[in-house]
């Protein structure tokens, strides 16, 4: 009896002391917001396998845009709710979980990765001048953690880049900036809080704006900027013209079609008829679940400023981190013309499986090919492991998620990260894949893994030029180097599955530190873009920058090209003089052959020139004026220019 009373008394004293400690403890980061707590709980629990989401695509209610003029938004506006400020106020907890599996599952996968056997199939990275490497061009420093918007800003920066004919747009988690091709700033830095200010739910909630994605539509000569808004919306802006410093149409797309789920890691791809957005969705009305989801946004409506009715569809658990295909090649005559059809690539969180989906909007998306990249490369796709740096703490390499799906000349190209063992132990490695999209069933063309002993390569992204040459950029770090920016690539004539020499774009300057806990977040992605000219690559990478303060990330832009790539111009048709003196009612057929895509110009002189050509016009032509008619060429639609 005495023992029980003593136990109860000890417990009571313990509760009193604990309560006193809680009341007296110093202020600091408080528990995270309810929405982030919910997302964290869902991420910690094993995902519900095959969570169905919405079985059939759903068309959302029309969304009316808000029009803003980018040049009217003041630059360098301090964001009082930036991530660092909210952390100091105790409103968020930076010990977040960024994976689709529990901590225990991820720890087991990383431990397994550390036991990988050496693989002779891994291509050893080199700087050998005998191997082709993309040639560096213009380079300049871009946004860094101190440039604007609040000391400390955000971690990680998640840099993303788009290239147009005359401009570049570089974005990080807190802001974006517009440059000309020499690196001169034309607009910004502009915070997303300022840019999307008319869309209050996108920027005023507990999680703010994050995960930026910017793209250029070569077909329409338009720009798009998107951010995740609080995990509840996708906030997207479409330029009304070719100049990104001009006017934009802003749309706030609901991103919780099931109810309560957390929207994360959105990416855009430009299609023929639609801008397609893919994202991960955590939890909500289906507890402890996960699904991949896609949205189709009618780009003609967005560019015109009309009422937008997005279509959204579930990819279930099998659709992890959806990456919509991003089309290129208008100026080179290789735009595929897919209409309402779109392709999406997804991972399966096993390091090997990649699914290719075909979505003919508004029908349901379907898996049309499943690829095993471990079999294709003969390299086990181990879970990426935390990576070292010289003189500093370890950093997170995240997981297998892809960083884009780029279209060029009938192929889709993908970059992702794995761990591998090139000989002397496990490191993080670059993996890349080419998929043939021209047939009824997408098929693997080639894939490769690029690594070296002791060096860790993370967060790769790639692009492809008009000749089929590829460039890929990434972070490289080791115990003997600070995190820096490196680029390699391949010529279309290189042996299948291989890359060339790597070149340094920007060396890390100092051991990276930040205000988040160890292992620190380094990123979710970096960004390689191809210029509309089909020749120039632009890479926005991240490096550790020697800055005053706790957080030390910087970003840097570099241009690259291959001298051997000279796209063939559109075929020209020699001028032909035609004399036509036939009587009315008699026609002549003139055969024409065009060997390549181009513009056919016909010029003729009428001996009895009417005020307008053709009956039915403002002034009917005389009956005896001969007519020229064109029959459509195979696969072409004649237009009067």
């Amino acid at each position: 009896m005495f023992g029980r009373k003593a136990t109860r008394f000890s417990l009571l004293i313990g509760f009193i002391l604990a309560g006193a400690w809680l009341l007296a403890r110093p202020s600091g980061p408080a528990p995270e917001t309810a929405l982030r707590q919910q997302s964290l709980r869902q991420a910690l629990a094993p995902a519900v396998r095959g969570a169905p989401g919405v079985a059939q695509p759903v068309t959302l209610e029309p969304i009316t845009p808000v029009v803003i003029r980018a040049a009217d938004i003041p630059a360098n506006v301090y964001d009082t709710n930036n991530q660092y400020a909210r952390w100091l106020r105790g409103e968020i907890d930076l010990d977040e979980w960024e994976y689709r599996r529990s901590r225990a599952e991820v720890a087991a996968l990383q431990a397994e990765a550390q036991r990988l056997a050496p693989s002779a199939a891994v291509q050893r990275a080199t700087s050998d001048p005998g191997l082709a490497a993309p040639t560096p061009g213009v380079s300049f420093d871009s946004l860094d953690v101190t440039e604007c918007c609040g000391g400390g800003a955000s971690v990680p920066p998640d840099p993303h880049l788009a290239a147009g004919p005359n401009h570049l747009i570089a974005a990080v988690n807190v802001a974006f900036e517009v440059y000309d091709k020499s690196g001169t700033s034309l607009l910004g830095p502009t915070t997303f809080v300022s840019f999307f200010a008319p869309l209050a739910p996108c920027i005023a909630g507990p999680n703010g704006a994050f995960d930026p994605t910017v793209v250029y539509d070569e077909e329409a000569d338009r720009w798009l900027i998107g951010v995740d808004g609080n995990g509840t919306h996708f906030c997207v802006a479409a330029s009304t013209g070719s100049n990104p410093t001009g006017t934009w149409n802003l749309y706030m797309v609901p991103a919780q079609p099931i109810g309560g789920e957390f929207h994360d890691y959105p990416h855009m791809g430009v299609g023929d008829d639609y801008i397609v957005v893919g994202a991960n969705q955590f939890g909500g009305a289906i507890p402890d679940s996960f699904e991949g989801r896609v949205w189709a946004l009618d780009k003609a409506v967005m560019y015109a400023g009309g009422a937008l009715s997005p279509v959204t569809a579930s990819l279930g658990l099998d659709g992890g981190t959806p990456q919509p295909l991003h089309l290129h090649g208008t100026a080179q005559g290789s735009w595929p013309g897919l209409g309402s059809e779109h392709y999406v690539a997804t991972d399966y969180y096993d390091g090997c499986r990649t699914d290719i989906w075909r979505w003919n909007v508004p029908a349901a998306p379907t898996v049309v090919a499943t690829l095993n990249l471990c079999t294709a490369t003969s390299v086990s796709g181990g879970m990426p492991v935390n990576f070292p740096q010289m003189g500093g703490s370890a950093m997170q390499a995240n997981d297998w998620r892809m960083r884009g799906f780029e279209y060029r000349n009938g192929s889709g190209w993908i970059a992702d990260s794995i761990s591998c063992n090139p000989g002397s132990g496990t490191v993080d490695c670059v993996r890349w894949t080419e998929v043939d999209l021209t047939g009824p069933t997408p098929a693997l063309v080639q894939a490769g893994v690029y690594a070296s002993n002791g060096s860790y390569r993370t967060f790769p992204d790639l692009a492809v030029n008009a000749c089929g040459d590829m460039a890929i950029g990434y972070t490289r770090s080791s115990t003997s180097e600070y995190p820096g920016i490196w680029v390699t690539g391949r010529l279309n004539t290189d042996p299948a599955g291989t890359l060339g020499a790597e070149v340094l774009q920007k060396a890390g300057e100092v051991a990276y530190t930040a205000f988040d806990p160890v292992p620190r977040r380094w990123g979710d992605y970096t960004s390689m873009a191809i210029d509309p000219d089909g020749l120039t690559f632009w890479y926005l990478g991240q490096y550790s920058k020697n800055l005053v303060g706790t957080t030390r990330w910087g970003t840097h832009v570099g241009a690259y090209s291959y001298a051997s790539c000279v796209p063939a111009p559109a075929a020209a048709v020699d001028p032909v003089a035609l004399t036509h003196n036939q009587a009315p009612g008699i026609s002549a057929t003139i055969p024409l052959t065009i060997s390549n895509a181009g513009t056919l110009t016909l010029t003729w002189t009428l001996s009895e020139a009417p005020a307008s050509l053709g009956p039915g016009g403002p002034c009917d032509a005389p009956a005896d004026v001969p007519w020229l008619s064109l029959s459509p060429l195979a696969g072409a639609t004649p237009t009067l220019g």
Side-chain angles (χ1 to χ4, degrees):
M1 179 70 70
F2 176 81
R4 292 179 184 175
K5 288 182 178 178
T7 300
R8 289 197 295 269
F9 182 77
S10 298
L11 289 173
L12 178 59
I13 293 297
F15 287 139
I16 293 172
L17 291 175
W21 176 80
L22 287 172
L23 290 173
R25 64 187 293 231
S27 61
E32 55 209 346
T33 64
L35 185 59
R36 179 59 79 174
Q37 284 179 338
Q38 171 183 287
S39 177
L40 179 60
R41 287 195 301 271
Q42 292 154 357
L44 290 175
V48 175
R49 303 306 194 250
V54 178
Q56 294 298 320
V58 173
T59 300
L60 305 181
E61 293 295 322
I63 304 165
T64 302
V66 176
V67 181
I68 59 100
R69 181 176 177 81
D72 294 339
I73 301 173
N76 296 301
V77 175
Y78 178 76
D79 177 8
T80 57
N81 288 309
N82 68 73
Q83 184 190 52
Y84 183 60
R86 287 184 289 129
W87 178 76
L88 287 176
R89 295 197 300 263
E91 296 172 0
I92 58 173
D93 182 355
L94 293 175
D95 188 17
E96 297 171 1
W97 194 242
E98 301 293 331
Y99 302 88
R100 302 205 311 268
R101 293 293 183 267
S102 71
R103 292 179 187 269
E105 288 177 301
V106 170
L109 289 168
Q110 290 180 328
E112 181 182 354
Q114 296 288 2
R115 298 189 293 269
L116 289 172
S119 173
V122 174
Q123 183 189 358
R124 275 35 171 208
T126 178
S127 297
D128 185 346
L131 293 176
T135 302
V138 173
S139 68
F140 57 91
D141 249 10
S142 186
L143 295 151
D144 69 36
V145 74
T146 65
E147 185 174 355
C148 76
C149 326
S154 66
V155 292
D158 294 342
H160 211 253
L161 182 74
N166 303 301
H167 303 86
L168 302 170
I169 298 181
V172 293
N173 256 328
V174 71
F176 71 94
E177 192 161 10
V178 179
Y179 304 96
D180 66 17
K181 295 294 183 67
S182 67
T184 301
S185 178
L186 304 177
L187 178 78
T190 302
T191 61
F192 292 118
V193 168
S194 301
F195 189 69
F196 286 107
L199 308 182
C202 272
I203 47 90
N207 294 293
F210 59 97
D211 286 351
T213 172
V214 293
V215 294
Y216 173 73
D217 184 341
E218 295 179 17
E219 183 185 43
D221 191 19
R222 295 292 185 271
W223 301 84
L224 296 116
I225 297 176
V227 293
D228 192 323
N230 281 307
T232 62
H233 293 80
F234 181 67
C235 308
V236 59
S239 70
T240 62
S242 60
N243 188 345
T245 68
T247 55
W248 295 71
N249 296 319
L250 310 185
Y251 292 89
M252 186 168 65
V253 180
Q256 294 179 315
I258 300 173
E261 64 268 39
F262 188 84
H263 179 72
D264 192 45
Y265 204 83
H267 276 69
M268 290 188 288
V270 171
D272 232 9
D273 294 342
Y274 297 96
I275 304 301
V276 176
V277 182
N280 291 331
Q281 305 283 112
F282 293 98
I286 305 173
D288 299 330
S289 70
F290 163 82
E291 71 167 358
R293 181 165 284 274
V294 286
W295 287 257
L297 314 178
D298 189 316
K299 66 181 193 179
V301 170
M302 296 174 71
Y303 300 155
L308 178 68
S309 297
V311 179
T312 183
S314 174
L315 304 182
L317 178 67
D318 291 354
T321 316
Q323 293 289 349
L325 188 66
H326 183 29
L327 301 185
H328 299 283
T330 297
Q332 296 79 44
S334 62
W335 191 271
L338 297 176
S340 61
E341 190 173 88
H342 209 92
Y343 288 93
V344 179
T346 60
D347 65 58
Y348 191 66
Y349 216 87
D350 65 354
C352 294
R353 173 176 160 182
T354 293
D355 288 340
I356 307 298
W357 300 69
R358 183 180 291 129
W359 189 16
N360 194 355
V361 183
T366 58
V367 175
V368 290
T370 295
L371 312 175
N372 188 317
L373 300 185
C374 296
T375 300
T377 61
S378 299
V379 179
S380 175
M383 178 81 169
V385 296
N386 295 336
F387 63 94
Q389 60 171 325
M390 182 168 65
S393 57
M395 292 181 287
Q396 297 180 38
N398 287 19
D399 53 20
W400 296 288
R401 69 190 68 185
M402 295 169 287
R403 270 86 193 187
F405 192 20
E406 296 290 308
Y407 175 86
R408 178 65 72 175
N409 300 336
S411 289
W413 296 72
I414 301 167
D416 64 351
S417 298
I418 63 170
S419 61
C420 69
N421 185 341
S424 65
T426 298
V427 294
D428 293 320
C429 318
V430 169
R431 184 170 65 182
W432 59 276
T433 308
E434 180 187 2
V435 183
D436 182 4
L437 300 176
T438 60
T441 302
L444 183 75
V445 176
Q446 59 177 329
V449 176
Y450 193 77
S452 64
N453 290 321
S455 291
Y456 294 70
R457 293 167 176 81
T458 57
F459 305 106
D461 193 40
L462 60 75
V464 185
N465 68 14
C467 299
D469 309 320
M470 182 262 278
I472 186 167
Y474 44 85
T475 295
R476 198 181 88 176
S477 185
S478 71
T479 56
S480 59
E481 65 181 319
Y482 303 126
I485 303 170
W486 290 76
V487 173
T488 185
R490 59 173 279 110
L491 295 171
N492 66 81
T493 54
D494 286 344
T498 65
L499 299 177
E502 61 180 353
V503 293
L504 174 65
Q505 176 175 314
K506 181 66 177 178
E509 298 174 346
V510 66
Y512 177 74
T513 62
F515 56 91
D516 60 330
V518 175
R520 292 193 166 92
R521 295 289 310 283
W522 180 246
D524 283 335
Y525 42 85
T526 60
S527 187
M528 181 75 79
I530 187 67
D531 198 282
D533 66 9
L535 298 174
T536 309
F537 299 94
W538 297 93
Y539 183 55
L540 178 65
Q542 178 183 347
Y543 70 104
S544 57
K545 190 171 184 178
N546 191 6
L547 299 169
V548 176
T550 302
T551 305
R552 297 173 176 174
W553 60 256
T555 64
H556 189 271
V557 174
Y560 297 88
S561 62
Y562 288 100
S564 59
C565 183
V566 182
V573 179
D574 292 335
V576 178
L578 303 177
T579 301
H580 196 322
N581 294 315
Q582 294 172 298
I586 299 177
S587 63
T589 300
I590 305 169
L592 295 173
T593 301
I594 301 178
S595 59
N596 193 6
T599 301
L600 175 63
T601 302
L602 297 174
T603 304
W604 67 92
T605 301
L606 299 176
S607 58
E608 298 180 47
S612 138
L613 291 180
C619 299
D620 288 351
D624 60 348
V625 173
W627 274 91
L628 174 68
S629 65
L630 290 178
S631 297
L633 300 171
T637 303
T639 58
L640 182 62

